Amino acid sequence: MGRASSSSDASAAKQQRVRAWFAEVSDALVSVFFPSGCRICDRLLTSASRVPLCEECLSSFERVPGVICEICGRPLPGWKKEPDQPVLCPACQDRTYAFDRARSFAVYENAVVRAILLLKFEQIEPLGSWFAHRLAEAVNSEADWLAADVVVPVPLHRERERERGYNQAALVSKPLANRLRLPHKSVLLVRTRARPDKQVLSLEERWESVRGAFATRPGSQVDNLRVLLVDDVLTTGATLDACARALREAGAKSVVGLTVARALRNPLPDTREW
Ligand SMILES: [Zn+2]
Ligand SMILES: [Zn+2]
């Protein structure tokens, strides 16, 4: 894809500065006229930010720790990195996911769980942008292998999205694409089969419920694309895997999964099933 000319880059940068200034001014006005409490701990919000969470709650989000599986991003506490040895969790030693790698910003615990619920059920866009900023930092720190052409949110089933009115993954993927200056393709992937109504799914049911549940939209250009696939939470990796499979089948060159949070307490999948 061709790069924009430098003069339009300059005017885009100017526009962005003006927009940033307006955003700052209007944030300040909002906090003056509508003082409110943190949506997690109820502490009065003092900073001029549209994110309805206090600094204490935001900084309490536990980042995914240092040593992680190079493929799936699973934290591996207590593991030591041997020189010239890839760090792979037991699941990734046995199987290959359809995605190339996955990374997450924070551990799915405590305040992060509450924040994801706010994103999921209250459509708090500034929080989505805040998470997107954190994911952009992660992408930029591993720029060598995270190079991508498009950003794609994990889709909801059409009926689910109609009920909810939005897709929470897109609340993060859209501002992420803006930050990375990449096209955002929210309709490239579709979910063709809805998640079962049952609230709690076993590990096997999770994998079963998403197998073949995604497809690329007929007529969309996927060939040779490097895709950043975005979701709110990575639990077993089954959803990212099913999406990545559909993208790879349509010709995608690589798929990297990025999620806001990573559940740690899920057991390792039973590799015999694969
Ligand atoms: Zn708080
Ligand atoms: Zn792994």
PDB file of all heavy atoms in Angstrom, residues 138-158:
ATOM      1  N   ALA A 138       2.821  -2.119  23.521  1.00  0.00           N
ATOM      2  CA  ALA A 138       3.328  -3.491  23.451  1.00  0.00           C
ATOM      3  C   ALA A 138       3.747  -3.838  22.026  1.00  0.00           C
ATOM      4  O   ALA A 138       4.795  -4.440  21.800  1.00  0.00           O
ATOM      5  CB  ALA A 138       2.253  -4.474  23.937  1.00  0.00           C
ATOM      6  N   VAL A 139       2.930  -3.437  21.065  1.00  0.00           N
ATOM      7  CA  VAL A 139       3.239  -3.725  19.663  1.00  0.00           C
ATOM      8  C   VAL A 139       4.536  -3.032  19.264  1.00  0.00           C
ATOM      9  O   VAL A 139       5.411  -3.619  18.631  1.00  0.00           O
ATOM     10  CB  VAL A 139       2.091  -3.249  18.749  1.00  0.00           C
ATOM     11  CG1 VAL A 139       2.493  -3.338  17.289  1.00  0.00           C
ATOM     12  CG2 VAL A 139       0.841  -4.075  18.999  1.00  0.00           C
ATOM     13  N   ASN A 140       4.663  -1.770  19.672  1.00  0.00           N
ATOM     14  CA  ASN A 140       5.850  -1.020  19.260  1.00  0.00           C
ATOM     15  C   ASN A 140       7.122  -1.555  19.897  1.00  0.00           C
ATOM     16  O   ASN A 140       8.196  -1.446  19.322  1.00  0.00           O
ATOM     17  CB  ASN A 140       5.662   0.470  19.557  1.00  0.00           C
ATOM     18  CG  ASN A 140       4.683   1.079  18.573  1.00  0.00           C
ATOM     19  OD1 ASN A 140       4.595   0.646  17.425  1.00  0.00           O
ATOM     20  ND2 ASN A 140       3.911   2.068  19.017  1.00  0.00           N
ATOM     21  N   SER A 141       6.992  -2.176  21.084  1.00  0.00           N
ATOM     22  CA  SER A 141       8.199  -2.705  21.707  1.00  0.00           C
ATOM     23  C   SER A 141       8.630  -4.024  21.071  1.00  0.00           C
ATOM     24  O   SER A 141       9.732  -4.499  21.303  1.00  0.00           O
ATOM     25  CB  SER A 141       7.999  -2.868  23.214  1.00  0.00           C
ATOM     26  OG  SER A 141       7.137  -3.961  23.453  1.00  0.00           O
ATOM     27  N   GLU A 142       7.754  -4.661  20.317  1.00  0.00           N
ATOM     28  CA  GLU A 142       8.140  -5.900  19.638  1.00  0.00           C
ATOM     29  C   GLU A 142       7.919  -5.734  18.134  1.00  0.00           C
ATOM     30  O   GLU A 142       7.468  -6.642  17.452  1.00  0.00           O
ATOM     31  CB  GLU A 142       7.326  -7.087  20.170  1.00  0.00           C
ATOM     32  CG  GLU A 142       7.535  -7.312  21.658  1.00  0.00           C
ATOM     33  CD  GLU A 142       6.984  -8.645  22.143  1.00  0.00           C
ATOM     34  OE1 GLU A 142       7.560  -9.686  21.793  1.00  0.00           O
ATOM     35  OE2 GLU A 142       5.980  -8.628  22.856  1.00  0.00           O
ATOM     36  N   ALA A 143       8.298  -4.567  17.653  1.00  0.00           N
ATOM     37  CA  ALA A 143       7.949  -4.174  16.279  1.00  0.00           C
ATOM     38  C   ALA A 143       8.500  -5.124  15.224  1.00  0.00           C
ATOM     39  O   ALA A 143       7.913  -5.265  14.155  1.00  0.00           O
ATOM     40  CB  ALA A 143       8.428  -2.761  16.012  1.00  0.00           C
ATOM     41  N   ASP A 144       9.605  -5.800  15.544  1.00  0.00           N
ATOM     42  CA  ASP A 144      10.224  -6.634  14.511  1.00  0.00           C
ATOM     43  C   ASP A 144       9.314  -7.754  14.033  1.00  0.00           C
ATOM     44  O   ASP A 144       9.242  -8.029  12.842  1.00  0.00           O
ATOM     45  CB  ASP A 144      11.577  -7.184  14.987  1.00  0.00           C
ATOM     46  CG  ASP A 144      11.499  -7.766  16.383  1.00  0.00           C
ATOM     47  OD1 ASP A 144      10.609  -7.345  17.149  1.00  0.00           O
ATOM     48  OD2 ASP A 144      12.312  -8.645  16.711  1.00  0.00           O
ATOM     49  N   TRP A 145       8.609  -8.410  14.959  1.00  0.00           N
ATOM     50  CA  TRP A 145       7.766  -9.512  14.490  1.00  0.00           C
ATOM     51  C   TRP A 145       6.279  -9.166  14.482  1.00  0.00           C
ATOM     52  O   TRP A 145       5.459  -9.938  14.031  1.00  0.00           O
ATOM     53  CB  TRP A 145       8.021 -10.784  15.291  1.00  0.00           C
ATOM     54  CG  TRP A 145       7.800 -10.643  16.770  1.00  0.00           C
ATOM     55  CD1 TRP A 145       8.757 -10.394  17.699  1.00  0.00           C
ATOM     56  CD2 TRP A 145       6.561 -10.739  17.481  1.00  0.00           C
ATOM     57  NE1 TRP A 145       8.195 -10.317  18.941  1.00  0.00           N
ATOM     58  CE2 TRP A 145       6.853 -10.531  18.849  1.00  0.00           C
ATOM     59  CE3 TRP A 145       5.244 -10.972  17.094  1.00  0.00           C
ATOM     60  CZ2 TRP A 145       5.869 -10.560  19.822  1.00  0.00           C
ATOM     61  CZ3 TRP A 145       4.258 -10.993  18.080  1.00  0.00           C
ATOM     62  CH2 TRP A 145       4.586 -10.795  19.418  1.00  0.00           C
ATOM     63  N   LEU A 146       5.939  -7.970  14.971  1.00  0.00           N
ATOM     64  CA  LEU A 146       4.511  -7.629  15.009  1.00  0.00           C
ATOM     65  C   LEU A 146       4.069  -6.798  13.811  1.00  0.00           C
ATOM     66  O   LEU A 146       2.965  -6.285  13.785  1.00  0.00           O
ATOM     67  CB  LEU A 146       4.190  -6.884  16.300  1.00  0.00           C
ATOM     68  CG  LEU A 146       3.842  -7.783  17.485  1.00  0.00           C
ATOM     69  CD1 LEU A 146       3.699  -6.962  18.760  1.00  0.00           C
ATOM     70  CD2 LEU A 146       2.559  -8.549  17.242  1.00  0.00           C
ATOM     71  N   ALA A 147       4.941  -6.659  12.824  1.00  0.00           N
ATOM     72  CA  ALA A 147       4.578  -5.867  11.655  1.00  0.00           C
ATOM     73  C   ALA A 147       3.261  -6.370  11.079  1.00  0.00           C
ATOM     74  O   ALA A 147       3.052  -7.575  10.968  1.00  0.00           O
ATOM     75  CB  ALA A 147       5.675  -5.975  10.608  1.00  0.00           C
ATOM     76  N   ALA A 148       2.362  -5.453  10.750  1.00  0.00           N
ATOM     77  CA  ALA A 148       1.037  -5.869  10.286  1.00  0.00           C
ATOM     78  C   ALA A 148       0.510  -4.939   9.214  1.00  0.00           C
ATOM     79  O   ALA A 148       1.007  -3.827   9.034  1.00  0.00           O
ATOM     80  CB  ALA A 148       0.072  -5.905  11.459  1.00  0.00           C
ATOM     81  N   ASP A 149      -0.491  -5.419   8.490  1.00  0.00           N
ATOM     82  CA  ASP A 149      -1.125  -4.615   7.447  1.00  0.00           C
ATOM     83  C   ASP A 149      -2.502  -4.125   7.854  1.00  0.00           C
ATOM     84  O   ASP A 149      -2.947  -3.082   7.405  1.00  0.00           O
ATOM     85  CB  ASP A 149      -1.266  -5.449   6.160  1.00  0.00           C
ATOM     86  CG  ASP A 149       0.072  -5.982   5.697  1.00  0.00           C
ATOM     87  OD1 ASP A 149       0.979  -5.163   5.460  1.00  0.00           O
ATOM     88  OD2 ASP A 149       0.228  -7.215   5.600  1.00  0.00           O
ATOM     89  N   VAL A 150      -3.194  -4.917   8.656  1.00  0.00           N
ATOM     90  CA  VAL A 150      -4.555  -4.543   9.071  1.00  0.00           C
ATOM     91  C   VAL A 150      -4.812  -4.937  10.516  1.00  0.00           C
ATOM     92  O   VAL A 150      -4.152  -5.825  11.058  1.00  0.00           O
ATOM     93  CB  VAL A 150      -5.654  -5.248   8.218  1.00  0.00           C
ATOM     94  CG1 VAL A 150      -5.748  -4.682   6.825  1.00  0.00           C
ATOM     95  CG2 VAL A 150      -5.469  -6.744   8.209  1.00  0.00           C
ATOM     96  N   VAL A 151      -5.779  -4.248  11.123  1.00  0.00           N
ATOM     97  CA  VAL A 151      -6.231  -4.597  12.471  1.00  0.00           C
ATOM     98  C   VAL A 151      -7.675  -5.082  12.352  1.00  0.00           C
ATOM     99  O   VAL A 151      -8.503  -4.435  11.717  1.00  0.00           O
ATOM    100  CB  VAL A 151      -6.152  -3.373  13.413  1.00  0.00           C
ATOM    101  CG1 VAL A 151      -6.643  -3.736  14.807  1.00  0.00           C
ATOM    102  CG2 VAL A 151      -4.724  -2.832  13.470  1.00  0.00           C
ATOM    103  N   VAL A 152      -7.949  -6.235  12.937  1.00  0.00           N
ATOM    104  CA  VAL A 152      -9.267  -6.868  12.816  1.00  0.00           C
ATOM    105  C   VAL A 152      -9.783  -7.251  14.207  1.00  0.00           C
ATOM    106  O   VAL A 152      -9.078  -7.910  14.952  1.00  0.00           O
ATOM    107  CB  VAL A 152      -9.163  -8.145  11.936  1.00  0.00           C
ATOM    108  CG1 VAL A 152     -10.481  -8.898  11.893  1.00  0.00           C
ATOM    109  CG2 VAL A 152      -8.701  -7.801  10.524  1.00  0.00           C
ATOM    110  N   PRO A 153     -10.991  -6.829  14.578  1.00  0.00           N
ATOM    111  CA  PRO A 153     -11.538  -7.262  15.862  1.00  0.00           C
ATOM    112  C   PRO A 153     -12.147  -8.664  15.747  1.00  0.00           C
ATOM    113  O   PRO A 153     -12.666  -9.028  14.683  1.00  0.00           O
ATOM    114  CB  PRO A 153     -12.645  -6.235  16.146  1.00  0.00           C
ATOM    115  CG  PRO A 153     -13.098  -5.800  14.789  1.00  0.00           C
ATOM    116  CD  PRO A 153     -11.898  -5.914  13.864  1.00  0.00           C
ATOM    117  N   VAL A 154     -12.081  -9.442  16.810  1.00  0.00           N
ATOM    118  CA  VAL A 154     -12.822 -10.708  16.843  1.00  0.00           C
ATOM    119  C   VAL A 154     -14.303 -10.348  16.788  1.00  0.00           C
ATOM    120  O   VAL A 154     -14.787  -9.567  17.607  1.00  0.00           O
ATOM    121  CB  VAL A 154     -12.497 -11.505  18.128  1.00  0.00           C
ATOM    122  CG1 VAL A 154     -13.486 -12.643  18.339  1.00  0.00           C
ATOM    123  CG2 VAL A 154     -11.066 -12.043  18.059  1.00  0.00           C
ATOM    124  N   PRO A 155     -15.026 -10.857  15.787  1.00  0.00           N
ATOM    125  CA  PRO A 155     -16.420 -10.415  15.625  1.00  0.00           C
ATOM    126  C   PRO A 155     -17.372 -11.108  16.596  1.00  0.00           C
ATOM    127  O   PRO A 155     -17.113 -12.213  17.048  1.00  0.00           O
ATOM    128  CB  PRO A 155     -16.735 -10.822  14.188  1.00  0.00           C
ATOM    129  CG  PRO A 155     -15.831 -11.973  13.899  1.00  0.00           C
ATOM    130  CD  PRO A 155     -14.603 -11.810  14.745  1.00  0.00           C
ATOM    131  N   LEU A 156     -18.472 -10.424  16.860  1.00  0.00           N
ATOM    132  CA  LEU A 156     -19.596 -11.065  17.556  1.00  0.00           C
ATOM    133  C   LEU A 156     -20.507 -11.645  16.493  1.00  0.00           C
ATOM    134  O   LEU A 156     -20.491 -11.205  15.346  1.00  0.00           O
ATOM    135  CB  LEU A 156     -20.407 -10.020  18.331  1.00  0.00           C
ATOM    136  CG  LEU A 156     -19.812  -9.379  19.570  1.00  0.00           C
ATOM    137  CD1 LEU A 156     -20.805  -8.381  20.147  1.00  0.00           C
ATOM    138  CD2 LEU A 156     -19.456 -10.426  20.605  1.00  0.00           C
ATOM    139  N   HIS A 157     -21.336 -12.599  16.895  1.00  0.00           N
ATOM    140  CA  HIS A 157     -22.363 -13.064  15.980  1.00  0.00           C
ATOM    141  C   HIS A 157     -23.310 -11.890  15.707  1.00  0.00           C
ATOM    142  O   HIS A 157     -23.550 -11.063  16.589  1.00  0.00           O
ATOM    143  CB  HIS A 157     -23.117 -14.240  16.590  1.00  0.00           C
ATOM    144  CG  HIS A 157     -24.040 -14.906  15.619  1.00  0.00           C
ATOM    145  ND1 HIS A 157     -25.387 -14.649  15.598  1.00  0.00           N
ATOM    146  CD2 HIS A 157     -23.802 -15.785  14.633  1.00  0.00           C
ATOM    147  CE1 HIS A 157     -25.947 -15.366  14.635  1.00  0.00           C
ATOM    148  NE2 HIS A 157     -25.004 -16.064  14.036  1.00  0.00           N
ATOM    149  N   ARG A 158     -23.829 -11.831  14.481  1.00  0.00           N
ATOM    150  CA  ARG A 158     -24.664 -10.700  14.064  1.00  0.00           C
ATOM    151  C   ARG A 158     -25.791 -10.395  15.061  1.00  0.00           C
ATOM    152  O   ARG A 158     -26.023  -9.247  15.426  1.00  0.00           O
ATOM    153  CB  ARG A 158     -25.265 -11.015  12.690  1.00  0.00           C
ATOM    154  CG  ARG A 158     -25.640  -9.817  11.872  1.00  0.00           C
ATOM    155  CD  ARG A 158     -25.738 -10.193  10.393  1.00  0.00           C
ATOM    156  NE  ARG A 158     -25.823 -11.653  10.240  1.00  0.00           N
ATOM    157  CZ  ARG A 158     -26.895 -12.315   9.773  1.00  0.00           C
ATOM    158  NH1 ARG A 158     -27.950 -11.671   9.410  1.00  0.00           N
ATOM    159  NH2 ARG A 158     -26.894 -13.620   9.661  1.00  0.00           N
TER     160      ARG A 158
END
